[in-house]
Amino acid sequence: MQIEQPFSESGRPLPRRTPTSAPFLDGARNGKLRLQRCPRDGFFFYPRPRCPECLGDDWTWEDASGRGRVYSYTVDRVGLDPTQRDRLPLVVAIIELEEGPRMTSNVVGCAVEDVRVGMSVEATFEDLGSETLVLFSPTA
Amino acid sequence: MGKRAAALVGFTEWAPERKWERPMFGMEACAALAAEALADAGIEKGAVDGLVTGGLQDSPMFSPLALAEYLDIQTHFSEQVDIGGASSAGMIWRAAAAIEVGLCDTVLVLVPSTPAPPQDGAEARKMVMPPYLAGDAWGSPQGIYDIPYGLVAAAPSFALVATAYMDAYGVTPEQLAKIAVDERNSALKNPKAVFKDKPITVDDVLASPMVCDPVHLLEMVMPCFGGGAVVVTNAERAKKAKHRPVFLSGYGEYVSHKTVTYMKDITVTPAKPAADQAFRMAGLDRSNVDLCSFYDCFTITVLATLEDTGFAPKGQGGPWVAERDLSFAGDFPLNTHGGQLGMGQGGAAGGLSHVVDALTQIQGRAEDRQLAKADKAYVTGVGGLMASNVGLVLEGA
Ligand SMILES: [Zn+2]
C-alpha cells in the first residue's frame, strides 16, 4: 500500500495543501481559524468547493471565533500512528465550534486527566514547518 | 412474509491465524475458498453464474473480472463491495438481490483476507492494518483534517463513540468489559477461535492496557489472517442442498459518513435505519429472533448496535448488558462463535464470520455451542468508523 501522506521534517503527517485546503491552511499559518459560510445554510467544515447542504458555490471565507467545546475525546496511549509517539499521551478530540461545525483536533495546554466532554476550549496553533495545525486549549 | 427467493446453502471459514502459515495470494485463496464452499453446499462450479468479492490486493481494480478469469466462471452478476467491515454482509444481500430479480441463479461470495505473502510478523501486521486506512490519497479530507491530528486506524474513532456514550448515558467500563467476557465464554467452545483456551473476567479486561481511553486492549479485536466464502442460490436449487437452506428474508443497509467527527450525533449509529429496513422487509418482529450476531470490532460497537437495532432501549444498553448472559449458554445468545473479539478478526472475513455464525446455528452445526432453538437470526456488519451498517434477517427453511 502506497502511503501518500506528506510528512514534516520531524516526521509528523502534514495536512496536504490543495486549492481547496489552502485558504484554511493559510488562515492557520496566520493564527486564524477560518471557516466557509453558505448564505443559506451557515458555517460548514471541512473546506469544500460546494456547500454540503445545498451544493451551492456562493459561500464566503470568514474568520471564526476560535471558541468551541469538547464534543468527545480519547487519549491515545500507544501511538497508533507511530509518527505521533513523541506526543503521547495524545488527546484526540472532536471540537464543536461556536459557529456550529465540528472538527477533529487535539486538546493541549492542560493535564490529560482534566479534559472533559463539554469543556470550553479556544484555538491555538502549532507550527510544523511548512504547515500549521489548529489545536485547542482550555479557555483562559 | 419476507423474501424467500434466495437462500444461503453452504459456507467455509478458515480459522483466524495471527501468523499466516500458508502464504498465498488473494486469488489463490479465493480458489480454495470457492472449492470448499461449493463442496459444502453440494453445488457444482458450473452452476455458479454470479461472483461477489471485496478488493483483492493482487488485483485491486476489477477484482470480480480477475476472479472470473482465474476461476473460469462466466457470470451474469459481478460485484466488488467496499463499505468497510460491513462489506461481507453487504455482499450477501447483493447476491440475494441479484437472484431475486432473476439476474442469476447461484452466487459465490468470496472473502479472502490474505494479502501477498508477508515477509514477517511486523510486515504482516502493517498490511492488515495500515495506520492511515484509506484516507491517505491526494485531497482526501481524512488525510488533511483528521490524520495530522492522530485520528488514524479504528481505535480512536470507536473510543470517541465510547466516551460520548459514557458521558451521555452513564455507561460504565464494567458494562462494556462484560461484553468481551461473555463473548470469550462462547469462544471457549469454538475450536477455530484464537482465544479458545483462556476465560477472562471483567477485572482482566479492565486490567489490560489502556489503548485509547476508554478502550482497553481486551475490548479490541485481534487482527488476523483468515478467509471465508458463502454460496447463495435460488429457492429451487436450495431444496437439493446438503444442509438446511437459510433464507435471507430481509436486509437493510445505511451509510452516513466516514470520519466519526462528522456524524450527526455520535451516539446514533447507522444500525437503526438498516435494522428498520431489514425487519420491515422480513415482516418480522425483533422478539421473533433466536440469536444475534453483531459486528464487534470493539465492545462499544456491540453496545451501540444492541440499542440502535432495537433490542435494548436507547441509552439503556449498559444495564441491559449487565443483566443478561450474552454467551451461547445465556438468555440472549450473541456472537455464539465468540465474535471477532473472541474468535479473532480474519481480515475482511471477520465480517463474514457473523453470517457464518448464524448459518452454523440455523443449520444445526454449532456442536458444543449449539442453541436449542436457532431458526431466526439477525446479523449485522459495521464498516469504517461506525460509518456503514448492514443488517440481515436469516431464517431456516
Ligand atoms: Zn448551502
Side-chain angles (χ1 to χ4, degrees):
Chain A
M1 189 161 299
Q2 188 100 34
I3 299 300
E4 297 181 35
Q5 193 75 33
F7 293 94
S8 71
E9 269 183 32
S10 64
R12 293 255 300 275
L14 287 174
R16 184 181 290 276
R17 183 167 281 266
T18 72
T20 306
S21 69
F24 176 79
L25 297 175
D26 288 343
R29 165 113 306 188
N30 295 310
K32 299 279 186 198
L33 170 57
R34 300 179 78 199
L35 295 175
Q36 288 163 290
R37 186 166 72 87
C38 167
R40 289 164 298 282
D41 303 303
F43 290 93
F44 61 90
F45 185 82
Y46 40 84
R48 282 167 256 207
R50 294 274 173 175
C51 164
E53 284 287 324
C54 65
L55 298 183
D57 63 354
D58 52 343
W59 41 263
T60 49
W61 277 105
E62 294 190 12
D63 288 349
S65 66
R67 289 188 296 270
R69 61 179 200 96
V70 174
Y71 180 71
S72 192
Y73 71 95
T74 181
V75 186
D76 184 346
R77 304 276 178 182
V78 298
L80 289 152
D81 178 350
T83 73
Q84 302 264 23
R85 280 187 185 152
D86 58 356
R87 300 178 79 198
L88 301 182
L90 176 64
V91 180
V92 178
I94 302 172
I95 306 299
E96 189 162 84
L97 301 171
E98 197 171 78
E99 289 77 9
R102 293 189 199 129
M103 64 179 289
T104 305
S105 187
N106 305 127
V107 177
V108 297
C110 67
V112 163
E113 291 69 28
D114 292 342
V115 179
R116 292 284 178 273
V117 171
M119 83 188 267
S120 295
V121 290
E122 59 191 10
T124 178
F125 299 87
E126 184 182 11
D127 185 355
L128 285 182
S130 57
E131 300 295 352
T132 302
L133 296 187
V134 181
L135 310 183
F136 289 83
S137 59
T139 306
Chain B
M1 291 286 279
K3 293 182 181 291
R4 290 267 166 182
L8 288 60
V9 291
F11 65 86
T12 187
E13 179 169 67
W14 293 345
E17 290 176 22
R18 294 171 70 176
K19 194 162 178 293
W20 194 240
E21 303 291 359
R22 298 172 283 169
M24 62 176 97
F25 287 91
M27 281 189 283
E28 294 172 336
C30 280
L33 291 166
E36 292 175 20
L38 288 169
D40 186 63
I43 289 179
E44 296 292 319
K45 193 199 82 165
V48 176
D49 55 0
L51 273 180
V52 193
T53 188
L56 296 172
Q57 296 217 0
D58 33 341
S59 184
M61 285 177 75
F62 320 137
S63 292
L65 286 60
L67 266 184
E69 172 191 288
Y70 194 84
L71 302 173
D72 192 14
I73 288 173
Q74 288 72 49
T75 62
H76 290 290
F77 175 67
S78 311
E79 177 81 293
Q80 176 178 342
V81 182
D82 183 11
I83 47 173
S87 297
S88 287
M91 289 177 211
I92 297 291
W93 79 251
R94 283 167 175 79
I99 292 166
E100 285 162 12
V101 298
L103 275 177
C104 55
D105 293 320
T106 301
V107 183
L108 257 178
V109 174
L110 299 172
V111 192
S113 81
T114 54
Q119 304 306 308
D120 55 42
E123 187 68 15
R125 188 79 179 212
K126 206 165 68 190
M127 297 183 82
V128 172
M129 213 175 197
Y132 300 142
L133 285 176
D136 52 354
W138 192 92
S140 145
Q142 201 182 357
I144 299 174
Y145 307 107
D146 300 329
I147 288 172
Y149 299 93
L151 188 53
V152 299
S157 293
F158 287 86
L160 285 162
V161 176
T163 300
Y165 259 86
M166 288 179 166
D167 182 73
Y169 302 121
V171 175
T172 68
E174 290 78 12
Q175 289 162 348
L176 284 171
K178 181 175 180 295
I179 293 170
V181 172
D182 286 0
E183 292 204 13
R184 179 68 68 93
N185 283 336
S186 291
L188 298 175
K189 298 287 186 185
N190 182 357
K192 287 183 179 171
V194 165
F195 298 110
K196 58 178 171 287
D197 305 319
K198 234 168 70 186
I200 49 171
T201 65
V202 166
D203 287 343
D204 291 336
V205 176
L206 299 182
S208 67
M210 189 69 93
V211 176
C212 270
D213 301 22
V215 174
H216 301 84
L217 187 64
L218 288 178
E219 298 182 88
M220 286 177 61
V221 83
M222 168 70 66
C224 295
F225 294 95
V230 170
V231 182
V232 188
T233 194
N234 63 28
E236 195 188 317
R237 201 182 291 270
K239 286 180 197 153
K240 291 178 258 172
K242 286 200 326 209
H243 302 286
R244 183 189 190 191
V246 177
F247 287 99
L248 182 58
S249 60
Y251 42 85
E253 178 171 306
Y254 204 74
V255 176
S256 65
H257 64 275
K258 186 178 181 191
T259 296
V260 289
T261 299
Y262 314 114
M263 288 173 82
K264 302 287 180 206
D265 178 338
I266 198 168
T267 63
V268 178
T269 77
K272 180 175 166 36
D276 288 344
Q277 196 173 51
F279 281 103
R280 192 165 55 238
M281 189 188 294
L284 209 68
D285 192 80
R286 267 70 161 175
S287 62
N288 299 132
V289 166
D290 301 314
L291 72 141
C292 288
S293 202
F294 289 165
Y295 196 94
D296 60 333
C297 44
F298 294 84
T299 52
I300 185 62
T301 317
V302 177
L303 187 98
T305 305
L306 279 166
E307 294 185 0
D308 288 340
T309 52
F311 287 94
K314 191 68 195 174
Q316 291 301 306
W320 194 94
V321 162
E323 289 160 10
R324 281 164 183 78
D325 177 355
L326 309 177
S327 79
F328 74 97
D331 49 342
F332 190 89
L334 173 80
N335 293 341
T336 67
H337 61 320
Q340 297 181 77
L341 289 172
M343 182 173 168
Q345 180 177 57
L352 195 69
S353 80
H354 298 279
V355 177
V356 169
D357 177 32
L359 269 179
T360 306
Q361 287 288 353
I362 296 174
Q363 292 184 333
R365 305 163 73 183
E367 300 179 346
D368 287 354
R369 60 183 194 282
Q370 181 66 46
L371 302 174
K373 184 169 186 288
D375 293 322
K376 295 175 170 57
Y378 187 61
V379 171
T380 66
V382 173
L385 307 161
M386 211 70 116
S388 65
N389 195 285
V390 169
L392 308 174
V393 178
L394 297 170
E395 299 187 52

